[in-house]
Amino acid sequence: MTTAPPTHTTPFDAATASDAYRSALAVIGAVEPRVAAAIGQELTDQRESLKLIASENYASPAVLLTMGNWFSDKYAEGTVGHRFYAGCQNVDTVESLAAEHARELFGAPYAYVQPHSGIDANLVAFWAVLAQRVELPALEKAGAKHVNDLTDADWATLRRALGDQRMLGMSLDAGGHLTHGFRPNISGKMFEQSSYGTDPATELLDYDAVRARAREFKPLIMMAGYSAYPRRVNFATMREIADEVGATFVVDMAHFAGLVAGKVLTGDFDPVPHAHVVTSTSHKSLRGPRGGFVLAQPEFADAVDRGCPMVLGGPLPHVMAAKAVAFAEARQPSFAGYAQAVADNAQSLAEGLSSRGARLVTGGTDNHLVLLDVTAFGLTGRQAESALLDAGIVTNRNAIPSDPNGAWYTSGVRLGTPALTTRGFGAAEFDRTAELIVDVLKGATPTATRDGGVSKAKYVLTDGLADRTRAATAELLAAHPLYPGLDLA
Ligand SMILES: *Cc1c(COP(=O)(O)O)cnc(C)c1O
């Protein structure tokens, strides 16, 4: 008797799901067969790749199927029970369900599930804070109820005030995100930005330095959250700092929402009880549909509700429905087991890499990701990313603190465990993965440039190494199939 490999995929009936996808692809293929073929090929490719991209995951068939229907056709600007279009009763049902599940899942007083993505969730949050803290006092002062009631002179004053605010966030090379006030994103054009980084010696967040920076800079918004910091953040301490300087504390948990939902991050490390506003994606460690959402303390709820049409286009009812399904899945006890496995697996991956001589930023991890410094292998992040991809291992290059190679070539590779944990990888598989990664990086040599230097992009791999590694990853993946039993043929 063979036992099925352990998996953290939300259980589904494989025969029913296979029928559903076969029928769907037949309908799609009758119109544009190349799209149906690409959808099928995407499943094959995802099944065959060792996905260590820290921001990706595999949503359940239930979540995915919820997105392909006539909810997509509905306009539903406004909020539940207060729409600018007729006939939104079923949208109201799914939006209420998604919000209710989100509130219960995260223990939040208020949830807004309309944002289309993480970036959009942040924009909603930023404008909600501006509305609450800058616009509202200006309206009160002018004795007006609505911006349209302001005199032209008052409106000009308010516009200047809105454009003259400050945001403090984690620096990009410490793992922060572009949307936390950096110039390539609109947040960097809306706000005067300043950053806090990590301690150069320990590479850990230095809360005293954050406090000093906050006191000096006096931001309207203090951001926490990251996409490449491999450690927990003490949100209770960050809130104390925000309170001390009169800042509104916004946490972007886009990356680690699954660890919050699964109660791996609790107490001081759970952002929800400490932040005024929390923003997130739903598709990363949380394993839902591609989208965003906002949680808020009651005093910000009305302002957050105005996200559409303030900064968002009409809501995506099919995606809100899928959020409701995903949040319901995350409320199952099995999801906590998944989240704990994601964190345990990150430990195994980190130990597997360190014990083979690799250097990890901060020396390890206590969340779902590991940041590997590849300089000791004589490589840039770009070379490491490409060499690993040649060998069938999918990662992404990432800057490390004070990166000597800048933001394009970088010196790091970011590795995350959420996706492979969904497939059922455990400690042994992640140790083997670490071994394969180190072998590939040791077997990659940068090529010389014509002027006698060393290339930051080109490299050669030891003969046969890519094929050998591909065979080894194929073996690991075959033992842990993606969507076990799902068959499109
Ligand atoms: C991924 C991410 C986002 C952006 O999410 P999108 O859905 O791609 O817009 C925002 N903030 C952080 C911290 C992220 O990691």
Side-chain angles (χ1 to χ4, degrees), residues 7-31:
T7 168
H8 286 284
T9 314
T10 304
F12 63 92
D13 182 73
T16 311
S18 299
D19 283 347
Y21 280 107
R22 275 197 291 260
S23 304
L25 291 177
V27 173
I28 296 162
V31 179

Side-chain angles (χ1 to χ4, degrees), residues 398-421:
N398 209 101
I400 62 174
S402 312
D403 200 304
N405 289 315
W408 175 251
Y409 290 108
T410 79
S411 303
V413 172
R414 189 183 66 165
L415 310 167
T417 54
L420 291 174
T421 302

Side-chain angles (χ1 to χ4, degrees), residues 55 116-122 175-180 223-228 251-256 279-284 290-292 368 414:
S55 50
H116 309 168
S117 71
I119 285 193
D120 290 2
N122 281 345
H177 196 263
L178 273 182
T179 56
H180 300 181
M223 292 296 301
Y226 53 79
S227 47
V251 176
D252 177 352
M253 64 172 184
H255 249 263
F256 53 88
T279 62
S280 188
T281 61
S282 38
H283 50 275
K284 297 182 182 177
R290 183 156 293 270
H368 63 296
R414 189 183 66 165

Side-chain angles (χ1 to χ4, degrees), residues 81 158 215 343:
L158 171 57
R215 279 182 183 160

Side-chain angles (χ1 to χ4, degrees), residues 133 165-168 196 207-223 237-249 276:
R133 294 204 43 204
Q165 299 298 329
R166 293 176 162 188
M167 173 179 287
L168 178 65
Y196 54 84
Y207 296 97
D208 291 335
V210 178
R211 180 175 280 110
R213 190 79 276 265
R215 279 182 183 160
E216 217 174 298
F217 189 62
K218 300 211 176 357
L220 177 81
I221 297 179
M222 188 165 103
M223 292 296 301
T237 303
M238 295 293 278
R239 171 62 186 262
E240 269 170 37
I241 297 170
D243 284 347
E244 201 184 305
V245 301
T248 299
F249 185 37
H276 294 98

